[in-house]
Amino acid sequence: MTLSSVQDVTGRLYLAVGRLSRSLRQAGAPGPGHGSISALATLVHFGELRLGDLAAKEGVAAATMSRIVATLVEAGYVTRESDPVDRRAWLARATEEGERLVSGVRSTRVQELNRRLDRLTPEMRESIISALPALEALISDEG
């Protein structure tokens, strides 16, 4: 594979992922945005986290995460309490309602993606399934 073809694949992948993400957000029902869903999913996966640690995992500034968590608290998806070890810090935890939201029970975006996947040929769906470990590796902490 030449440098030019690698750059072409990289550019196509970047555009495809971005456009798919934007398209699914637009197809979804009003509700928490992508940043909020991502932060909530991180809390569901890791459990209770300090706001600073959550911000670091999400790759955003602490002030941004504070606003995201405040919105999620107001919506009933997250609880926030003072850290008993360091009273200056806050701990965030997903509520049961937040866990249900992340699980996709009410996610119209996940349902929309499923509808789109159903329109693909079996071979194309299998290609996407086969590519998932590589895509997940691109976003892992180890990569």
Side-chain angles (χ1 to χ4, degrees):
M1 202 177 235
T2 67
L3 178 59
S4 176
S5 62
V6 168
Q7 289 173 335
D8 184 48
V9 167
T10 304
R12 287 177 59 200
L13 178 61
Y14 177 80
L15 288 173
V17 169
R19 288 174 177 163
L20 177 61
S21 179
R22 184 176 58 246
S23 174
L24 291 173
R25 282 194 309 270
Q26 291 169 346
H34 179 72
S36 294
I37 294 292
S38 182
L40 186 55
T42 298
L43 287 173
V44 168
H45 179 75
F46 289 100
E48 186 175 73
L49 288 172
R50 292 172 120 194
L51 291 186
D53 294 336
L54 180 57
K57 287 186 182 303
E58 289 295 304
V60 300
T64 299
M65 186 51 63
S66 183
R67 286 190 299 274
I68 288 171
V69 168
T71 300
L72 290 169
V73 167
E74 188 176 310
Y77 298 128
V78 167
T79 60
R80 185 176 80 170
E81 59 189 48
S82 180
D83 184 343
V85 176
D86 180 356
R87 294 284 181 194
R88 298 169 297 168
W90 291 94
L91 295 171
R93 175 193 323 250
T95 63
E96 285 183 24
E97 183 69 17
E99 290 176 7
R100 278 194 296 275
L101 179 66
V102 168
S103 74
V105 171
R106 295 179 356 200
S107 174
T108 58
R109 294 174 187 142
V110 170
Q111 292 169 3
E112 176 62 21
L113 180 56
N114 192 48
R115 281 192 288 276
R116 292 176 188 205
L117 288 169
D118 284 345
R119 293 191 310 243
L120 298 177
T121 65
E123 294 80 17
M124 291 177 118
R125 278 194 303 276
E126 189 56 43
S127 293
I128 290 174
I129 291 166
S130 296
L132 282 173
L135 291 169
E136 290 166 342
L138 292 174
I139 58 171
S140 74
D141 291 337
E142 300 153 9

